[in-house]
């Protein structure tokens, strides 16, 4: 850095335009400080001119820092104590949800904390879809090395344990799937015996739904494409229970929880998560991942079926194709699972490259699980 010693105890330094400036009016910065100051300047909407000395020294004007600080104090986001602001600036094209608490350490390890509200929300909602956002942040923010999932403790355990159990199942399978994914706390162990419910009647018909609704699109899609598969049906129940199916033995919420569309052909089980064009949520990834893991655990007999008279009725009547599914379950004929994002319009962050990243999983390769996207095209 070029300097001139003066008679007084200050120096002149040269800025990037070749002008000499008193060092009393500047602040010297480390590279990390300069990076953080650039982020704050963007958040404040103010211009920042980082100057460079010939020896690599970085500095800026004191008045710029004062202006940035003043403007940040006027912004509500600065009240946050986590790294939401930093992520939002570094990924301006992503509308990062505020429902999580973020921490990005100096080694670029990200912790994403799910709120109690997120633990109880629908999986497709931003505040609950932790898998979706962990994947997106890891993919688009290339410097991130690991993503650790944390969560708020439940305030009333007795009322919320079913929501939490679903979260535990999702988190268990998520950290098993990616070597860069971790849990902040020990994950409670899943029960040794879980059972899935089954259809107790046929699925609804298209004329029972409003035209253009997801239910209507679902029925029409099955009508059009079922000829392409050995079996294809919709609304497959996947409620999970302890030991047996009953009101008292729910493991997760949602006795009505069901896979939109499913199909089997030549030993390949396809799971479809359907969204209509105006429902372009990123959480479709979390939903599809959950249902895909459920099907994989069923076909691996980690999740079982309770054999009783009601299930026999579902088989005899082949409700929603259950007889064919149960046959595949018993025979072990399923060799691969296709997880399909079925929509004419998807969230703008969901691109083929992101699906390649999702599929880059040793567990998915070993289990022959793959994610893809497909248009509805009725």
């Amino acid at each position: 850095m070029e300097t001139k010693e003066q008679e007084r105890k200050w120096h002149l330094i040269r800025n990037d335009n070749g002008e000499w400036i008193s060092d009393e009016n500047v602040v010297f910065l480390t590279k990390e400080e300069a990076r953080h100051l650039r982020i704050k300047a963007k958040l404040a909407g103010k211009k920042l001119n980082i100057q460079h000395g010939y020896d690599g020294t970085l500095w800026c004007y004191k008045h710029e820092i004062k202006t940035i600080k003043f403007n940040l104090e006027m912004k509500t986001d600065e009240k946050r104590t986590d790294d939401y602001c930093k992520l939002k600036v570094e990924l301006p094209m992503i509308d990062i949800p505020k429902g999580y608490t973020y921490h990005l350490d100096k080694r670029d390890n990200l912790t994403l904390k799910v709120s109690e509200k997120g633990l109880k929300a629908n999986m497709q909602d931003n505040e609950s879809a932790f898998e979706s956002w962990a994947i997106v942040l890891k993919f688009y923010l290339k410097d991130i090395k690991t993503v650790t999932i944390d969560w708020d403790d439940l305030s009333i355990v007795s009322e919320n344990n079913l929501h939490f159990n679903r979260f535990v199942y999702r988190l268990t399978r998520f950290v098993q799937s990616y070597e860069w994914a971790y849990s902040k706390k020990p994950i409670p162990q899943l029960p040794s015996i879980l059972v899935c419910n089954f259809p107790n009647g046929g699925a609804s018909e298209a004329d029972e739904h409003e035209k253009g609704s997801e239910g209507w699109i679902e029925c029409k899609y099955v009508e059009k494409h079922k000829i392409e598969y050995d079996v294809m049906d919709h609304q497959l129940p996947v409620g999970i229970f302890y030991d047996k199916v009953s009101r008292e033995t729910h493991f997760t919420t949602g006795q009505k929880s069901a896979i939109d569309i499913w199909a089997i052909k030549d030993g390949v089980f396809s799971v479809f998560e359907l969204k209509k064009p105006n429902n372009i949520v990123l959480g479709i990834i979390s939903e599809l991942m959950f249902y895909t893991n459920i099907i994989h655990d069923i076909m691996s007999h980690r999740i079982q079926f309770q054999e009783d008279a009601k299930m026999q009725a579902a088989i005899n009547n082949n409700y929603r194709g259950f007889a064919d599914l149960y046959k595949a379950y018993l025979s072990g004929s399923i060799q691969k699972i296709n997880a399909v994002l079925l929509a004419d319009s998807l969230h703008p962050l969901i691109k083929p490259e992101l699906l390649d990243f999702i599929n880059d999983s040793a567990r998915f390769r070993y289990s022959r699980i793959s994610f893809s996207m497909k248009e509805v095209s009725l």
Side-chain angles (χ1 to χ4, degrees), residues 69-129:
K69 183 177 180 181
F70 175 81
N71 280 270
L72 279 177
E73 288 173 352
M74 299 296 104
K75 292 184 176 289
T76 57
D77 280 346
E78 184 65 12
K79 295 178 181 179
R80 293 181 65 108
T81 58
D82 62 357
D83 286 327
Y84 169 82
C85 298
K86 185 186 296 185
L87 292 172
K88 190 162 182 63
V89 169
E90 296 199 9
L91 295 170
M93 74 291 193
I94 297 178
D95 187 14
I96 298 174
K98 296 183 178 181
Y100 300 100
T101 303
Y102 305 88
H103 176 65
L104 186 61
D105 69 20
K106 294 181 179 179
R107 296 183 179 181
D108 291 317
N109 297 302
L110 175 66
T111 298
L112 188 155
K113 189 172 186 179
V114 184
S115 67
E116 182 172 3
K117 182 180 178 182
L119 292 174
K120 297 182 286 183
N122 189 305
M123 281 186 290
Q124 74 171 352
D125 294 346
N126 276 335
E127 59 207 357
S128 177

Side-chain angles (χ1 to χ4, degrees), residues 54-199:
Y54 78 91
D55 59 352
T57 305
L58 302 175
W59 59 274
C60 70
Y61 296 98
K62 287 182 178 179
H63 72 268
E64 290 182 329
I65 294 180
K66 290 180 180 180
T67 301
I68 292 168
K69 183 177 180 181
F70 175 81
N71 280 270
L72 279 177
E73 288 173 352
M74 299 296 104
K75 292 184 176 289
T76 57
D77 280 346
E78 184 65 12
K79 295 178 181 179
R80 293 181 65 108
T81 58
D82 62 357
D83 286 327
Y84 169 82
C85 298
K86 185 186 296 185
L87 292 172
K88 190 162 182 63
V89 169
E90 296 199 9
L91 295 170
M93 74 291 193
I94 297 178
D95 187 14
I96 298 174
K98 296 183 178 181
Y100 300 100
T101 303
Y102 305 88
H103 176 65
L104 186 61
D105 69 20
K106 294 181 179 179
R107 296 183 179 181
D108 291 317
N109 297 302
L110 175 66
T111 298
L112 188 155
K113 189 172 186 179
V114 184
S115 67
E116 182 172 3
K117 182 180 178 182
L119 292 174
K120 297 182 286 183
N122 189 305
M123 281 186 290
Q124 74 171 352
D125 294 346
N126 276 335
E127 59 207 357
S128 177
F130 69 87
E131 305 99 327
S132 305
W133 284 104
I135 287 168
V136 161
L137 292 172
K138 178 71 173 68
F139 177 73
Y140 283 100
L141 196 56
K142 303 300 183 183
D143 290 339
I144 288 182
K145 295 181 176 64
T146 66
V147 179
T148 298
I149 306 300
D150 196 2
W151 61 90
D152 283 342
D153 293 328
L154 296 176
S155 56
I156 307 176
V157 176
S158 60
E159 293 185 4
N160 299 319
N161 60 338
L162 299 182
H163 296 280
F164 183 67
N165 289 346
R166 182 184 63 186
F167 169 78
V168 166
Y169 178 85
R170 292 165 57 196
L171 181 58
T172 298
R173 295 293 178 253
F174 184 64
V175 299
Q176 288 173 346
S177 299
Y178 297 104
E179 61 181 11
W180 48 263
Y182 296 87
S183 173
K184 181 75 171 180
K185 305 168 186 172
I187 306 176
Q189 188 172 356
L190 295 174
S192 58
I193 299 178
L194 289 172
V195 298
C196 184
N197 60 351
F198 42 81

Side-chain angles (χ1 to χ4, degrees), residues 257-309:
S257 181
I259 293 172
D260 288 341
I261 300 171
W262 64 277
I264 297 175
K265 182 177 175 62
D266 298 334
V268 178
F269 195 111
S270 295
V271 181
F272 299 84
E273 179 60 28
L274 171 70
K275 298 297 177 192
K276 60 182 182 179
N278 64 349
N279 188 11
I280 54 171
V281 292
L282 191 68
I284 187 175
I285 296 172
S286 292
E287 286 186 298
L288 183 58
M289 195 167 283
F290 173 71
Y291 294 133
T292 300
N293 282 323
I294 292 289
I295 290 299
H296 180 260
D297 281 348
I298 288 173
M299 294 304 164
S300 303
H301 290 226
R302 294 186 184 91
I303 296 175
Q304 302 172 18
F305 288 110
Q306 173 192 349
E307 299 181 9
D308 58 15

Side-chain angles (χ1 to χ4, degrees), residues 222-345:
V222 172
E223 289 176 12
K224 180 178 179 180
H225 293 279
K226 65 189 309 180
I227 194 172
E228 302 167 16
Y229 297 88
D230 300 332
V231 57
M232 185 181 217
D233 220 302
H234 59 120
Q235 288 303 301
L236 176 68
V238 284
I240 305 302
F241 299 77
Y242 296 100
D243 301 322
K244 63 179 181 178
V245 179
S246 71
R247 291 182 179 180
E248 294 75 30
T249 57
H250 280 281
F251 176 69
T252 61
T253 59
Q255 192 168 3
K256 295 182 180 180
S257 181
I259 293 172
D260 288 341
I261 300 171
W262 64 277
I264 297 175
K265 182 177 175 62
D266 298 334
V268 178
F269 195 111
S270 295
V271 181
F272 299 84
E273 179 60 28
L274 171 70
K275 298 297 177 192
K276 60 182 182 179
N278 64 349
N279 188 11
I280 54 171
V281 292
L282 191 68
I284 187 175
I285 296 172
S286 292
E287 286 186 298
L288 183 58
M289 195 167 283
F290 173 71
Y291 294 133
T292 300
N293 282 323
I294 292 289
I295 290 299
H296 180 260
D297 281 348
I298 288 173
M299 294 304 164
S300 303
H301 290 226
R302 294 186 184 91
I303 296 175
Q304 302 172 18
F305 288 110
Q306 173 192 349
E307 299 181 9
D308 58 15
K310 291 181 179 180
M311 193 187 82
Q312 192 59 49
I315 295 171
N316 293 342
N317 292 284
N318 199 20
Y319 292 143
R320 310 184 197 187
F322 183 71
D324 299 283
L325 185 146
Y326 190 65
K327 181 180 178 180
Y329 165 80
L330 290 178
S331 66
S333 60
I334 300 303
Q335 301 300 313
K336 182 180 180 181
I337 299 177
N338 284 340
V340 184
L341 305 168
L342 184 62
D344 288 333
S345 299

